[in-house]
Amino acid sequence: MSRSTERPYYWVLPLIAMLTLITLYPIGVCIYNSLFHYTFLGGLPKFIGLGNYGYLIMRDSLFHSAALFSACYTLVGIAVEFLLGLVIALLLWEEFRGRNTIRALFMLPFILIPIAMAYGWRIMLHPSIGVINYLLGTVGLQQVNWLGSSWGAKTSVIMVEIWENAPFLVLFFSAGLSALATEPFEAARIDGASTWQVFRYITLPLLRPVLILATLFRVLDAYNKNFDIIGTLTGGGPGRATENLVVYTWNKAFLHLDMGYSATLAIVMLIIILVPGIFMIRATKLTA
Amino acid sequence: MTKIFKRMLLIFLLVTFLFPIYWIVAISFQRPIDILSGVPHFTFIPTIMNYINAIRKGSFPLYFGNSLVVACFTALTSLVISTPAAYSLARFKFRGKKMIGMWALATYMIPPLITLIPYYLLFSKFRLLNTLLAVILLHSVLVIPLVTWMMVGFISEIPRELEEAAVVDGCTRLQALAKITLPLVLPGLAATFIFSFMISWRELIYAVTVTGETTRTLPAAIYGFVSFRSIRWGELAAAGVLGLLPIVVLFSFSQKALIRGLTMGSLK
């Protein structure tokens, strides 16, 4: 049909513009800048080739600890979110009166503004006037210095991340569960399978594409978009306990105004996520 | 038996998840002496002073207005740029749907700093720092891949035969697009508009970096308060709650359409 090729070039232009401005230009400029020693305070940029990268890999221990915390934050957060999301979605699977309302209510932590919620958590986690410590005290448990201690801060930040994003998984898994055919389940029930067996051998395998896709989104988000939570709760502290790659790079760029090295960090962040990212995208394409 | 257990577990989880939201709303209605006393109050005498102070003192209306302008223009701009592109991807022979999906996913992988640093330098050179335009541009960059993907999905749902029939009847392709496709895709446009509005409204890292005193958006303003002046807990809570209202309203209106748009491509 010749109409399909009618003047496609005009239409393609916005696409190419978008591609360039959104993807190629930023990555290109970052790669370019990363080859220079370039700070806002230090005069003219000086070309140093891969010097920034060398320093980053070999001698920057702050990068190493930030990368470690990024990994920890992402992995622990997702593991717990996954479990919670799946459990809640399963609990919401069968119809009962008010189910849709309850499901909508579960969405709230996810759709509300992260910073407002993070601020709420900051009040709650306050060592003396916060409600969490108060509740711990009333049941006889020891109070925790949530945001002031290294482990407390790490736990708090991951906890808020889980709280905010498990609802997303509830939504995703619920949609996936409701799309499942009922025949396998009926057949299994007729054959006398136990709940656990049904779950393990029917529900999980059928849900695999959804699970993989959800994991992909969550991994990318937890890795990239945690500035709201960490910035509000701890700012990377105490010390550098909760400083992950995003916070570290942002500080380097906009507190220390080191444009060359922060570009290097950004590129390395991209490279780090590229491998698992591509791997997971392949996995979804194969099963979806 | 297990049914009761399941219900109770569900209620317990629901309460746990909703508790922080309840708490921040409660704080926004508490007097400072209640908030700052050694013990958190579960019963208290409510007051609306926090809301009054938050709106009157400081620049809350300014920040709210900034967020409104930025979110509206972001949604508008991204739709204007994305829809023609989405149309060509949805209609023409080359495998548009798959390509746009892959591209949208790929941009999702890119750390926000990769976009932020180059554009910050660009804005700095053109004296665009501390302007709303800078935030609008950055938010549009953030949102366009998703908007395009959603619009491709919505446009694909409209059979091209309708346009073909219009062209046969004497319209140009452009007229067919305007008179036939556009009205049909309007719900999709609305859902996409609301979606990008919400993303822009709650966005923090770009807003904080490129805005100044007069161009702060609401999230950026709250962030600034948190870093330096975390004393007026009640007012800050009130400001936070007020900032949440547009999102809650928009979400309850568009819930169904949004979820459909989001899960459309992935769960076919």
Side-chain angles (χ1 to χ4, degrees):
Chain A
M1 188 161 350
S2 65
R3 290 239 171 78
S4 306
T5 55
E6 187 184 291
R7 288 190 290 156
Y9 301 107
Y10 293 8
W11 302 100
V12 171
L13 262 144
L15 277 169
I16 298 186
M18 278 161 36
L19 190 64
T20 314
L21 289 174
I22 296 177
T23 314
L24 299 176
Y25 171 71
I27 296 183
V29 171
C30 275
I31 294 183
Y32 183 71
N33 277 348
S34 70
L35 301 174
F36 288 77
H37 176 69
Y38 174 26
T39 69
F40 266 4
L41 317 164
L44 290 168
K46 201 174 67 154
F47 180 78
I48 54 172
L50 295 177
N52 279 330
Y53 292 94
Y55 176 76
L56 186 147
I57 301 178
M58 299 293 169
R59 306 224 309 261
D60 191 3
S61 55
L62 293 175
F63 165 75
H64 295 134
S65 60
L68 204 61
F69 187 62
S70 267
C72 174
Y73 180 92
T74 308
L75 293 173
V76 174
I78 289 178
V80 180
E81 276 168 25
F82 219 81
L83 278 166
L84 270 175
L86 201 51
V87 166
I88 297 178
L90 286 171
L91 285 173
L92 288 172
W93 195 4
E94 38 182 69
E95 309 254 353
F96 58 85
R97 212 165 47 146
R99 181 204 43 172
N100 288 336
T101 327
I102 295 191
R103 188 190 282 169
L105 283 177
F106 264 112
M107 294 297 106
L108 278 178
F110 174 64
I111 62 167
L112 299 180
I113 308 180
I115 178 156
M117 292 294 99
Y119 178 68
W121 274 97
R122 186 160 158 158
I123 301 181
M124 284 172 53
L125 293 170
H126 196 283
S128 38
I129 65 175
V131 68
I132 301 256
N133 270 350
Y134 175 74
L135 290 174
L136 285 179
T138 51
V139 292
L141 293 171
Q142 198 183 41
Q143 301 197 336
V144 179
N145 184 5
W146 292 103
L147 299 178
S149 67
S150 174
W151 279 103
K154 290 189 213 256
T155 314
S156 307
V157 163
I158 296 182
M159 190 164 59
V160 177
E161 158 81 23
I162 294 170
W163 176 80
E164 222 171 77
N165 293 294
F168 171 77
L169 286 179
V170 172
L171 178 65
F172 227 76
F173 293 159
S174 289
L177 281 173
S178 55
L180 292 181
T182 51
E183 292 82 35
F185 295 97
E186 288 166 2
R189 202 165 314 141
I190 294 177
D191 286 346
S194 73
T195 328
W196 172 249
Q197 285 173 322
V198 171
F199 179 68
R200 198 173 150 217
Y201 294 110
I202 304 190
T203 320
L204 273 187
L206 283 179
L207 217 45
R208 234 183 103 223
V210 173
L211 294 178
I212 296 182
L213 193 62
T215 315
L216 172 65
F217 280 131
R218 283 308 315 142
V219 166
L220 295 180
D221 259 353
Y223 179 76
N224 278 330
K225 306 209 166 101
N226 42 56
F227 187 79
D228 301 39
I229 295 177
I230 299 187
T232 314
L233 282 177
T234 62
R240 291 181 190 265
T242 55
E243 190 175 88
N244 68 355
L245 285 175
V246 175
V247 176
Y248 182 49
T249 311
W250 192 89
N251 285 343
K252 264 281 181 269
F254 301 108
L255 280 187
H256 303 155
L257 302 174
D258 187 339
M259 294 301 160
Y261 194 61
S262 57
T264 317
L265 284 167
I267 294 288
V268 171
M269 273 193 76
L270 178 62
I271 296 179
I272 292 181
I273 198 62
L274 226 44
V275 171
I278 292 183
F279 178 70
M280 275 189 281
I281 292 182
R282 289 263 233 65
T284 59
K285 282 298 156 194
L286 287 175
T287 53
Chain B
M1 214 9 51
T2 45
K3 230 184 188 87
I4 303 182
F5 172 72
K6 276 176 162 188
R7 292 284 177 275
M8 289 187 50
L9 183 60
L10 195 59
I11 302 289
F12 172 74
L13 286 169
L14 188 65
V15 168
T16 320
F17 265 87
L18 292 186
F19 184 76
I21 301 176
Y22 158 74
W23 195 248
I24 193 173
V25 173
I27 293 260
S28 71
F29 285 110
Q30 284 181 11
R31 302 166 299 168
I33 46 172
D34 287 330
I35 301 176
L36 295 174
S37 66
V39 171
H41 282 65
F42 287 92
T43 57
F44 53 89
I45 306 171
T47 168
I48 56 170
M49 279 315 290
N50 290 324
Y51 284 90
I52 298 181
N53 285 339
I55 298 181
R56 268 218 259 113
K57 283 199 272 175
S59 318
F60 180 81
L62 172 68
Y63 303 140
F64 196 91
N66 284 341
S67 277
L68 206 59
V69 168
V70 169
C72 275
F73 276 96
T74 302
L76 225 62
T77 315
S78 55
L79 270 178
V80 164
I81 298 181
S82 300
T83 310
Y87 180 75
S88 65
L89 278 171
R91 287 292 181 246
F92 294 119
K93 270 271 159 88
F94 47 102
R95 283 182 264 115
K97 247 180 144 176
K98 219 169 174 215
M99 280 174 17
I100 190 65
M102 298 255 39
W103 179 61
L105 214 48
T107 57
Y108 209 63
M109 275 204 293
I110 300 179
L113 281 143
I114 294 243
T115 314
L116 187 52
I117 295 177
Y119 277 101
Y120 179 84
L121 293 172
L122 192 69
F123 293 151
S124 168
K125 242 182 232 149
F126 285 96
R127 310 270 183 90
L128 282 177
L129 285 178
N130 301 340
T131 63
L132 287 181
L133 180 61
V135 198
I136 295 176
L137 286 177
L138 275 175
H139 281 188
S140 301
V141 165
L142 180 68
V143 152
I144 280 179
L146 260 162
V147 166
T148 319
W149 185 49
M150 286 178 79
M151 287 313 298
V152 166
F154 285 124
I155 295 180
S156 305
E157 286 187 0
I158 299 176
R160 61 170 81 195
E161 287 77 37
L162 292 174
E163 291 162 19
E164 307 290 343
V167 172
V168 162
D169 282 349
C171 293
T172 67
R173 212 175 178 86
L174 209 56
Q175 284 177 317
L177 172 61
K179 290 209 170 122
I180 310 250
T181 323
L182 224 50
L184 283 174
V185 92
L186 217 51
L189 268 172
T192 312
F193 182 92
I194 292 181
F195 189 58
S196 40
F197 183 94
M198 282 170 65
I199 293 183
S200 169
W201 183 267
R202 64 210 291 263
E203 200 281 327
L204 180 70
I205 188 171
Y206 291 159
V208 155
T209 314
V210 300
T211 59
E213 273 302 312
T214 51
T215 53
R216 285 258 129 87
T217 60
L218 199 54
I222 297 180
Y223 184 74
F225 279 114
V226 171
S227 307
F228 301 120
R229 289 182 268 162
S230 42
I231 304 179
R232 303 208 294 259
W233 302 100
E235 282 170 34
L236 218 41
V241 171
L242 286 173
L244 294 174
L245 287 180
I247 296 246
V248 173
V249 167
L250 281 176
F251 186 72
S252 44
F253 272 143
S254 57
Q255 213 192 63
K256 270 215 217 114
L258 278 184
I259 297 179
R260 223 182 108 242
L262 276 177
T263 55
M264 196 168 43
S266 40
L267 293 176
K268 253 335 141 55

